Amino acid sequence: MAAAAALDDDPWELPAAPYAEAATACDLLVSLLPARAGGGLEPLLSPTGTPQPTVHALAVESGDLDALWEVLTRLHRALDDEPGTEGLLDLVGQAGAEWGDPPRSPRCLISQLERVVAVLELDTFAVRTLAVVMTDGRAGTTRALDETGQTAYEAVTAAWSTTLQS
């Protein structure tokens, strides 16, 4: 969308900058994921020694989230058939057809992006507690959670699961 917005004089009622900022934020987030950053995720163990599905903590700048939400607002306007958004909805439809396996409708693609951004925006006591636990110690080592860490882990993964499935 950022490339298309840069070429268009009136990119769907939104200046090209937010699309470019959102694209930059997405690129940064993808680059920080362990598989892309060249590192693996350290295993987490419950207080009883049971391996936990691993999570990855990363800080997201508020400006990046703002740009993503601004673009999502425009995408929702396109879904609502607001005048001037036909080109945007068509572009999202093309992306869903090309990148989806199986192809995804614009509504599905926008909904998925919104859930991902909502997960990135989760900032609760449990998220902060788990982030501290995960960053305490040496990289590349197994991390054993204490009761506080386990409680935070369970709260965070439950919140993510609920958000991603809604």
Side-chain angles (χ1 to χ4, degrees):
M1 288 188 294
L7 297 174
D8 195 337
D9 289 336
D10 185 24
W12 315 296
E13 301 178 12
L14 184 65
Y19 290 107
E21 290 169 15
T24 300
C26 288
D27 289 342
L28 175 64
L29 293 170
V30 168
S31 74
L32 293 174
L33 294 174
R36 303 290 178 142
L41 292 172
E42 293 82 20
L44 293 174
L45 299 177
S46 73
T48 61
T50 305
Q52 302 293 297
T54 307
V55 297
H56 182 63
L58 88 109
V60 181
E61 296 291 328
S62 63
D64 292 340
L65 288 170
D66 290 346
L68 289 166
W69 279 117
E70 191 169 356
V71 169
L72 277 167
T73 298
R74 296 307 188 254
L75 292 172
H76 279 287
R77 288 182 179 170
L79 283 177
D80 293 339
D81 294 324
E82 284 192 18
T85 62
E86 301 83 7
L88 178 57
L89 192 58
D90 183 53
L91 181 64
V92 173
Q94 289 174 32
E98 289 179 31
W99 299 333
D101 186 20
R104 295 184 184 107
S105 69
R107 184 169 304 283
C108 178
L109 218 68
I110 292 166
S111 176
Q112 289 174 327
L113 179 59
E114 186 171 33
R115 288 191 306 269
V116 169
V117 174
V119 165
L120 292 173
E121 200 168 59
L122 287 176
D123 186 12
T124 64
F125 180 74
V127 169
R128 290 174 184 222
T129 299
L130 186 58
V132 168
V133 169
M134 291 176 62
T135 57
D136 186 27
R138 294 186 326 260
T141 62
T142 301
R143 300 188 195 283
L145 299 172
D146 59 13
E147 290 297 327
T148 301
Q150 183 67 31
T151 300
Y153 175 86
E154 290 170 3
V156 169
T157 55
W160 286 344
S161 179
T162 299
T163 301
L164 290 173
Q165 291 177 9
S166 58

